[in-house]
Amino acid sequence: MLNKVPDPYKECLKGAIIGIPIFGILTVFALFLQWRQDEASLLMYLLICICGWLTGWFFGVLYAPLSPKEESQAQKTFTVIATFASGYLVGAIGPFLEHATAPENLLMTFKGILFFVASFFTTLTITVIFRRYYEEPLSKIESESEKVNKTNE
């Protein structure tokens, strides 16, 4: 399928295809190190990684829409998220921050933030790369081939 992608995009995709397994191996290694240090917190950090992956994928889909319809839906979704974040989350985050920044929880909070941020940005990057440089050129190729087929009929 990579042979259908135009040449300028192939190098970017090759880097992403190499980066995905490397990220997976590094994540598993980091979780293994955490498990060796504290078995009880492994599931918590795995859940944090899963939340980061899902959130990164969600925002990657919103950031790189494939059609005008997806673009208008993304704008509406960003508006709803911004309203929710500015209204509810700002008020609700206070008690969480008090607990998370307590001296006995600081290291665990820092590790959780690192796991989430690494998972989020890696998945965001992968999603944007594949939607911008893989799916978009393929949709253009498919639409051009449909036009050619219609003119040949």
Side-chain angles (χ1 to χ4, degrees):
M1 194 95 166
L2 194 59
N3 58 354
K4 290 183 177 181
V5 178
D7 286 334
Y9 300 118
K10 284 184 182 178
E11 293 303 315
C12 183
L13 287 176
K14 286 179 187 175
I17 290 170
I18 291 169
I20 292 170
I22 290 172
F23 167 72
I25 291 168
L26 289 175
T27 303
V28 169
F29 182 69
L31 288 170
F32 174 75
L33 289 178
Q34 179 58 39
W35 172 73
R36 293 284 308 244
Q37 187 179 12
D38 181 17
E39 291 181 28
S41 65
L42 175 66
L43 291 178
M44 178 186 70
Y45 289 117
L46 184 60
L47 183 62
I48 289 171
C49 284
I50 291 170
C51 288
W53 293 325
L54 291 174
T55 309
W57 170 79
F58 176 74
F59 280 102
V61 168
L62 289 179
Y63 183 74
L66 293 177
S67 67
K69 182 179 178 184
E70 274 190 15
E71 190 171 348
S72 68
Q73 289 174 340
Q75 289 173 349
K76 291 176 187 174
T77 306
F78 271 128
T79 304
V80 169
I81 291 171
T83 304
F84 175 73
S86 66
Y88 175 74
L89 285 182
V90 170
I93 203 164
F96 170 75
L97 286 177
E98 285 179 22
H99 177 73
T101 57
E104 64 272 5
N105 298 332
L106 207 52
L107 182 62
M108 188 176 6
T109 302
F110 182 69
K111 287 180 186 177
I113 289 170
L114 285 179
F115 275 115
F116 181 84
V117 168
S119 300
F120 174 81
F121 280 110
T122 304
T123 308
L124 176 76
T125 304
I126 290 168
T127 305
V128 169
I129 286 172
F130 275 94
R131 288 180 68 88
R132 284 258 170 96
Y133 302 112
Y134 188 70
E135 290 183 17
E136 188 175 287
L138 284 183
S139 64
K140 288 179 183 176
I141 291 169
E142 290 168 359
S143 66
E144 288 174 8
S145 65
E146 287 175 9
K147 289 177 187 177
V148 170
N149 289 338
K150 287 181 182 178
T151 57
N152 288 340
E153 291 176 355

